[in-house]
Each structure stands twice: as structure tokens, then as C-alpha cells.
Amino acid sequence: MKILIADDEFTTRRLLQTYLEKWGHEVTAAKTGAEALELFQRGDYPMVVTDWSMPEMDGLELIGHLRSLRGAGYVYIVLVTARAQTEDIVKGIDAGADDFVTKPFDRDELRARMRAGERIVSSLQTIAELRARLREALARLGEATDPL
Amino acid sequence: MPRVRTIACLAGVSVERDVPGEQIGEYIRAADYVTWVDVEDPGERELAMLLEEFGFHPLALEEAAAGDQRPKIAEYKGYIRVITCGIGPRNGTAPFDVSEVDIFIGRNYAVTIHKHAVPALDEAYRRWPRGGAMLREGVGFLVFTIVDSVIDTFFPVLEAVEEELDETELSLFTEQPKDSVQDLLATKRQLATIRRVISPLREAFSVLLRRDHPILTQNTTIYFQHVYDNILRILDAVDVQRDLVTSSLDAHMTVVSNRLNHTMKTLTVITAVVAVGGLVFGAWGMNFTRVPLSDEPWGFPAVLGGTLALIALVLMLGRTRRWL
């Protein structure tokens, strides 16, 4: 699965990239929120993993922009941050994040969360495909019933 | 059976468990990684791995594998070896198990070696990754988690000893005390064992806190100070309980002495009663031809009545003096 990472810290970015690539994903990394937004608009990323605190555009702003874009489908966003207070989790999820991972995170836990994200993304993709096929079928049905 | 488990915190960002043995060297070479290798009952293979990857002194490794060392801190080139002891729950006839844990502390790693399973290390293994922001403080927080978990094992044992002591103290003053002295002496032995184990640790940590060592940063010293304070608390508790045992033994001796005294008084009254009867009946029972009152028809009842009155008087005296 294509995943976009946004983190200004080199170590975190490198670790996330290493893990995700090891788990079979195709990863693109961005150093800032702005760069991530630009990369997102150019590519098709069903999953985004972003840090909260970043220069120029922080994680919440990035999530806001991603959610406002009318793209192909739903983007599953995981917020990875050192903030661990309940109010931060609430704020992050309210801003549009689908999952919240606190740094330092457990590798196995991150993997499980990514798997859960993948399941949701593939379910949404299946639903989107079925809807498209249904629309197509209805259109064909409309065309077939028109002469009658 | 040997068991090796590894957990590492990578640059304060992620936590990885069960790092493969062949990757340990790579992890300890990364300065911003903190790695903990826990080795239980090491065999030749595990010792060879530790020798190769960490370069520990072979004698230090041998000693660690054999166990049975006095708690101490030894400095080597590039690492420190801390020998700590924890105590576990009762096992068989022994009141508790003393388990030795050798900790080799390097700039960004800690290796723990122990002969038997140590539940405190399992606790530390669970606790350390949950350290949050403190995980970024390097090896200091890791060593603190390990040592603190090991030292914490003393507190439940001391609490159990305190409860036993309370029960034994109460039973001292019951009518039929059961094995109180044996219990007190057993408690005293347990406290002596705890003191023997913990006392060298106080000296070791005191030395470690006073000395500048490149491995120990300012942050680490704060954690070690906490451990040192806990050691002092344990020693204080042991001393207080030892005093309580001693005073309970004294109290027991006093109770025993009082009981003996009371028994002696009761026996004295009984002796006086028997003596009065013996004296009167002995005198009137002698084979003289003329015994006073022997010719009187009321002689026998008078002597018997008089004797009984004397016995009653003795009993009354005993009663009023609370000898009975």
C-alpha cells in the first residue's frame, strides 16, 4: 500500500520508513507538512502517517487540508506524536485523524494499528468499487429501459 | 535452561522487542539506541555472545553466570557492573528466595544476567517501554527501572514480616502462647538476611553517587539517588523491625517471668494449706496417752473445725493478696 510519511525529525522519519517498507508498503517521506501536502496532491496515497509538531504547517493543519481535498477516496490518517495527554488525543482525532500513536511507540503495536488501517482502507476501496459497479449497472439498466 | 530476551528503544521514538541476536551489535553501536539484553541461566553460547558483542571481561561473565556474589559495584573500561539482589516469595522451607541480578551498564545498553527467573525483571520489562518521555533519557532510566524493580521486591516481604511480627506480639499476651519465641527468632533471622543483602548495596550506591563516571549523566544520578533513598528506607524499616523483635523478646521474657511468679505464689498458698492441716493433724495424731481434748466428746469436731478455720484463713489471705 502507498503510504505518505510527514515528520520533520530525521530519526523518526527514517525509522517509520524502515518499518513500513519492511512491512511491504511503498513509502514516500516528507520533511514538512507543506511538502507532504504537495506530494499528496501529486500522488495517490490511501494512508498518511504524520507527526503533530512540524515547522510551517503542523500535523493538524495538514490533516485539515487533506480532509478538505476532494480526492479519489478516503485517506486513512495516523497521527504519530510525543503528545500523550487525553485532550491531545481528543484534539487530534477531532481534527480528522483516524488513529493516534504516542511516541515512543511500540513497533508491534504500530504494525497492528497499520494493519487495522489497511483493513479499513481496503474495505472502503471495496465499497467504492461496488458503488461504481452499481452505478454502472443502474446506468445500463436505465439505458435498457429507455426505449420501452 | 538459557533464555535471552532483548528490548530496545530506538532514539526515543520506537520500542522493539526480541531483537535478533545477530543484530544486537548493530543496535549497541547506534549511539541514540538504548538496548536491554536480559540473559537467564546463561550457557556457553550466551556467554560467548556477550563476550563477542559487548566485550565484557571473561571473569566478570563467569562470576555473573555462577551467581552467589556479594552486592557491589565494579568499574571496568567502558562499562560498570552492578551486582544487586532482590528477594522473591516464599519457596519451600525457606522464608524467601534471594535472587542475584548482575547488571552490566554501558553508555547505551544494560545487560542483566541471573541464574533463575526473577519476576522483578519481568516487571521491569513491562515497565520500561511504558516510560514515555523518560525513555529519551538514555540508559539511566533503563537502569533505574531494573534496579528499582529489583529493590521494590523487599517492600512486600518487609510488610509480611511486619504483619507476622504484629501477630506474634499479640499472641505473647494470650493465655496459651504458641511458638512465639520460635516465630520471633525466625523473624529475626529473616531480618538479618535482608540486612546482609541490602547493606552492601547502600555502600555500593553511595560510592556510585559520589563518583564521576562518563556513563552516569546528571539525569542518571537523579534516578540512582531515588534508588539509594529506597535502600535507606528498607534499612530503616529493617532496623525498626529488629528493635521490635528485640523488645518483643524482652516482653516475652517478662511475661514468662510474671507467669512463673504467679504460679509460685499459688503453690505457696497450697503449701501453706497443706502445712496447716499437716501440723494440726500431725500433732493430734501422735501416740501420746494424753492428747489435749481427746477426752472431750466435742474434741474432734473442735480440732477439725479449728483446722478448717485456719485453712480458710490462709486461703483468704492468699486471695486478698491475689496469690490465687
Side-chain angles (χ1 to χ4, degrees), chain A:
Chain A
M1 186 168 284
K2 280 180 77 180
I3 299 178
L4 178 65
I5 297 172
D7 203 309
D8 58 323
E9 274 180 41
F10 169 74
T11 324
T12 313
R13 209 166 55 239
R14 189 197 61 187
L15 277 170
L16 281 171
Q17 188 160 5
T18 312
Y19 288 150
L20 294 171
E21 282 176 352
K22 202 188 277 180
W23 298 335
H25 300 291
E26 192 185 318
V27 182
T28 308
K31 290 175 197 162
T32 62
E35 191 188 341
L37 187 61
E38 200 187 317
L39 285 166
F40 184 82
Q41 282 169 321
R42 277 193 274 146
D44 176 26
Y45 297 98
M47 281 182 95
V48 173
V49 179
T50 178
D51 185 18
W52 185 319
S53 308
M54 287 184 289
E56 295 172 40
M57 184 191 287
D58 71 16
L60 296 195
E61 281 178 79
L62 173 66
I63 293 169
H65 283 296
L66 295 179
R67 291 281 179 241
S68 64
L69 288 172
R70 295 206 174 269
Y74 187 78
V75 188
Y76 190 86
I77 304 171
V78 181
L79 195 56
V80 179
T81 172
R83 300 177 190 219
Q85 301 295 318
T86 310
E87 53 265 37
D88 295 325
I89 299 172
V90 172
K91 203 173 165 186
I93 290 175
D94 278 349
D98 295 290
D99 204 352
F100 194 100
V101 177
T102 308
K103 280 193 271 188
F105 54 81
D106 193 302
R107 182 185 56 176
D108 300 335
E109 187 188 329
L110 179 73
R111 190 173 189 183
R113 285 175 184 273
M114 293 308 286
R115 274 200 299 261
E118 268 183 83
R119 281 198 297 273
I120 291 170
V121 168
S122 48
S123 302
L124 290 170
Q125 280 172 349
T126 312
I127 292 168
E129 275 171 31
L130 288 172
R131 277 180 68 184
R133 277 161 57 186
L134 187 66
R135 263 200 216 107
E136 207 179 295
L138 284 170
R140 278 207 301 269
L141 188 69
E143 279 169 22
T145 51
D146 259 355
L148 298 171

Side-chain angles (χ1 to χ4, degrees), chain B residues 12-318:
Chain B
V13 175
S14 74
V15 173
E16 288 186 16
R17 290 161 211 274
D18 303 319
V19 178
E22 60 274 12
Q23 282 182 23
I24 289 175
E26 199 182 302
Y27 277 59
I28 57 171
R29 277 190 291 278
D32 53 350
Y33 289 12
V34 179
T35 311
W36 174 17
V37 182
D38 178 47
V39 188
E40 181 185 321
D41 189 21
E44 280 183 18
R45 200 173 141 207
E46 289 73 28
L47 291 176
M49 183 273 283
L50 293 173
L51 197 66
E52 196 181 313
E53 298 291 351
F54 296 92
F56 295 143
H57 196 286
L59 279 179
L61 278 177
E62 266 179 42
E63 277 180 6
D68 209 21
Q69 294 287 309
R70 189 175 182 268
K72 65 174 181 184
I73 288 179
E75 290 182 38
Y76 296 84
K77 197 181 172 185
Y79 61 94
I80 303 172
R81 180 181 169 210
V82 180
I83 304 172
T84 58
C85 281
I87 46 179
R90 286 161 194 268
N91 183 13
T93 51
F96 45 74
D97 271 348
V98 178
S99 42
E100 181 189 317
V101 179
D102 279 54
I103 313 169
F104 291 79
I105 309 163
R107 201 177 284 275
N108 65 338
Y109 66 81
V111 176
T112 46
I113 303 175
H114 45 102
K115 244 185 140 176
H116 307 287
V118 179
L121 292 179
D122 298 337
E123 170 62 21
Y125 200 78
R126 281 190 293 272
R127 239 174 82 185
W128 183 57
R130 294 200 303 259
M134 286 185 285
L135 282 174
R136 293 195 192 92
E137 291 177 16
V139 76
F141 179 63
L142 170 61
V143 175
F144 163 74
T145 311
I146 297 168
V147 178
D148 194 48
S149 300
V150 171
I151 297 296
D152 275 355
T153 55
F154 284 91
F155 289 109
V157 173
L158 279 174
E159 273 170 28
V161 168
E162 198 177 338
E163 274 172 27
E164 270 178 34
L165 195 55
D166 285 346
E167 280 173 24
T168 314
E169 270 182 335
L170 285 174
S171 77
L172 283 178
F173 301 101
T174 56
E175 284 301 312
Q176 290 173 324
K178 287 177 186 171
D179 307 327
S180 300
V181 180
Q182 286 94 321
D183 288 348
L184 283 171
L185 291 174
T187 307
K188 204 172 178 179
R189 274 197 302 277
Q190 290 174 20
L191 290 170
T193 309
I194 295 173
R195 197 177 166 80
R196 183 172 51 77
V197 170
I198 203 88
S199 198
L201 272 179
R202 178 185 57 181
E203 293 161 31
F205 274 87
S206 164
V207 170
L208 195 69
L209 281 167
R210 283 201 304 268
R211 198 174 296 174
D212 283 335
H213 198 284
I215 290 170
L216 306 175
T217 61
Q218 191 67 34
N219 288 342
T220 313
T221 312
I222 292 166
Y223 289 122
F224 281 8
Q225 183 66 51
H226 179 89
V227 172
Y228 182 64
D229 289 346
N230 271 351
I231 292 171
L232 292 184
R233 268 178 61 202
I234 292 167
L235 278 170
D236 282 348
V238 168
D239 287 344
V240 167
Q241 289 186 16
R242 277 173 75 191
D243 286 348
L244 281 173
V245 171
T246 309
S247 53
S248 296
L249 279 169
D250 289 346
H252 180 262
M253 295 312 291
T254 310
V255 168
V256 168
S257 171
N258 281 345
R259 283 202 184 111
L260 186 68
N261 211 7
H262 189 76
T263 309
M264 291 305 294
K265 285 174 183 172
T266 310
L267 285 173
T268 306
V269 173
I270 292 167
T271 310
V273 167
V274 172
V276 167
L279 183 74
V280 174
F281 299 138
W284 262 264
M286 285 188 288
N287 285 326
F288 288 105
T289 47
R290 290 188 62 82
V291 176
L293 307 177
S294 62
D295 296 334
E296 303 296 335
W298 42 268
F300 179 73
V303 170
L304 191 64
T307 309
L308 289 175
L310 273 172
I311 288 171
L313 183 69
V314 170
L315 288 172
M316 205 172 69
L317 276 171

